[in-house]
Amino acid sequence: MDLAALKTALLVRDLGSFAAAARLLDLDASSVSRVIAQLEQDVGFRLFQRSTRSLAATGEGELYLNRIAPLVEELEAAGDEARTTAVSPRGTLRMTASISFVQECLVPVLPEFRDRFPDIEIELLASDANLDLRADSIDLAVRFGSMPKGDWIVSKLMTTRYRVVASPEYLEREGRVGDPNELSGRDCIRFAIPGFRTLWQFQKDNDEPFNVPVGGATVISNALSIRSAARLGMGIALLPIMLVERDLKRGRLIDLFPDYACAAASFETAAWLVYPSRSYLPQKVRVMIDFLREKYGRPET
């Protein structure tokens, strides 16, 4: 049986259409349709019930695909494992992370990774949405926030810390902020995700944490754009240290509360490495995980 055909059938099942599978495989839909038709001829029954509006696995197809899925994974793993004994890591690594992490952390170190592992091709999906690892055939994701839930392998890359910042121009125009509670009367640039819009959290030393309601005329869905708006004096922003560290050192942004720990949804946040659950981790994924731990596997302070 053709392993590529079996993988295509599983992808069609997961995505629910020939067209979606074709886009991911960089083929036309008719090619995928022919692969499935030949596979159905080989097994002797229909794998999918087709109509003009929908596609779904038949009863026999669902049973067959459920049984072969772990076998296909094992065959791929066996090939990967055998190849690692003879050659350097190779293949296409499909990876996703937030736009800000890609731009600020991944792209600057990719030349070094490519020098070390020239046979690995990188497909980097920069997105602030949490893409579906299985549906989008993603090998590795970097996710921020609380520990991700679901049927994945998850490990911490680094603890994340946040600072409340503003530009010198904003502070000169609007005045300094002496206490976090004063933020309720200021124009704050808010992140357009749940937990970041209305409350920011603060803690000083070992005191009890407290929440401060925040508002403002600007809500932005991308952390890099929030940083740009803060640099331009549009308001006060809550941002990860990794995005503002250079600006703080250069004086383009001011840390308003250096004596406080700051957070949005929770103080217990981190950057997490997430990858599909499987008994064997491909070498191309393993070396990227090791590389990221080498570069960023330390607590933010």
Side-chain angles (χ1 to χ4, degrees):
M1 196 70 69
D2 185 352
L3 180 60
L6 297 177
K7 290 171 60 178
T8 299
L10 290 169
L11 191 59
V12 169
R13 181 198 63 178
D14 293 342
L15 299 182
S17 78
F18 290 159
R23 284 194 294 272
L24 202 57
L25 295 170
D26 197 22
L27 300 171
D28 55 71
S30 61
S31 296
V32 172
S33 180
R34 285 194 297 271
V35 169
I36 299 302
Q38 181 60 56
L39 182 57
E40 289 176 329
Q41 183 176 333
D42 292 340
V43 299
F45 52 83
R46 293 180 71 84
L47 294 171
F48 298 101
Q49 187 64 46
R50 305 153 174 84
S51 72
T52 55
R53 294 187 177 182
S54 64
L55 179 145
T58 62
E60 299 89 344
E62 187 67 28
L63 178 63
Y64 178 77
L65 294 170
N66 285 340
R67 289 291 298 272
I68 70 166
L71 302 177
V72 169
E73 184 173 292
E74 283 301 313
L75 285 171
E76 286 193 284
D80 286 341
E81 192 168 15
R83 281 189 290 271
T84 62
T85 64
V87 298
S88 62
R90 63 178 61 244
T92 299
L93 176 64
R94 194 168 166 86
M95 184 176 175
T96 186
S98 67
I99 295 171
S100 57
F101 188 77
V102 168
Q103 181 168 320
E104 296 292 308
C105 297
L106 283 181
V107 170
V109 299
L110 274 185
E112 181 179 347
F113 182 84
R114 292 282 297 120
D115 286 342
R116 291 192 198 180
F117 307 105
D119 294 324
I120 296 179
E121 296 182 4
I122 304 292
E123 287 189 15
L124 197 51
L125 308 178
S127 174
D128 289 328
N130 285 340
L131 303 181
D132 189 307
L133 271 63
R134 291 195 178 91
D136 292 306
S137 294
I138 293 169
D139 298 301
L140 179 64
V142 180
R143 299 263 167 87
F144 284 82
S146 301
M147 185 174 181
K149 308 292 187 203
D151 183 24
W152 318 110
I153 302 298
V154 178
S155 63
K156 183 185 286 188
L157 174 62
M158 63 180 176
T159 300
T160 52
R161 295 287 182 263
Y162 291 81
R163 304 312 309 157
V164 174
V165 300
S167 71
E169 293 77 16
Y170 172 86
L171 297 175
E172 184 177 350
R173 184 178 73 246
E174 302 294 337
R176 285 268 179 176
V177 185
D179 183 88
N181 288 292
E182 296 176 21
L183 292 173
S184 295
R186 293 300 189 102
D187 196 6
C188 295
I189 308 165
R190 295 172 293 148
F191 204 6
I193 59 174
F196 282 72
R197 284 176 177 266
T198 57
L199 290 175
W200 292 350
Q201 300 182 28
F202 295 88
Q203 184 179 26
K204 188 172 184 179
D205 300 324
N206 294 319
D207 295 345
E208 193 70 20
F210 60 94
N211 295 330
V212 176
V214 294
T218 308
V219 179
I220 302 177
S221 63
N222 176 270
L224 294 176
S225 298
I226 292 176
R227 183 180 66 182
S228 295
R231 287 172 175 171
L232 292 170
M234 293 178 61
I236 298 169
L238 174 70
L239 287 166
I241 285 180
M242 68 179 186
L243 294 189
V244 298
E245 193 169 22
R246 287 193 296 270
D247 288 316
L248 293 175
K249 290 178 179 178
R250 296 171 182 172
R252 291 199 293 186
L253 292 173
I254 305 297
D255 186 346
L256 300 188
F257 310 113
D259 295 331
Y260 287 83
C262 312
S266 170
F267 283 106
E268 301 301 320
T269 59
W272 305 92
L273 298 168
V274 185
Y275 44 96
S277 177
R278 58 186 297 172
S279 57
Y280 173 75
L281 185 64
Q283 193 182 23
K284 63 185 179 182
V285 180
R286 187 179 302 280
V287 296
M288 175 57 84
I289 289 174
D290 291 343
F291 181 77
L292 292 176
R293 290 195 184 284
E294 174 190 326
K295 295 298 179 184
Y296 301 112
R298 59 188 184 278
E300 290 281 350
T301 57

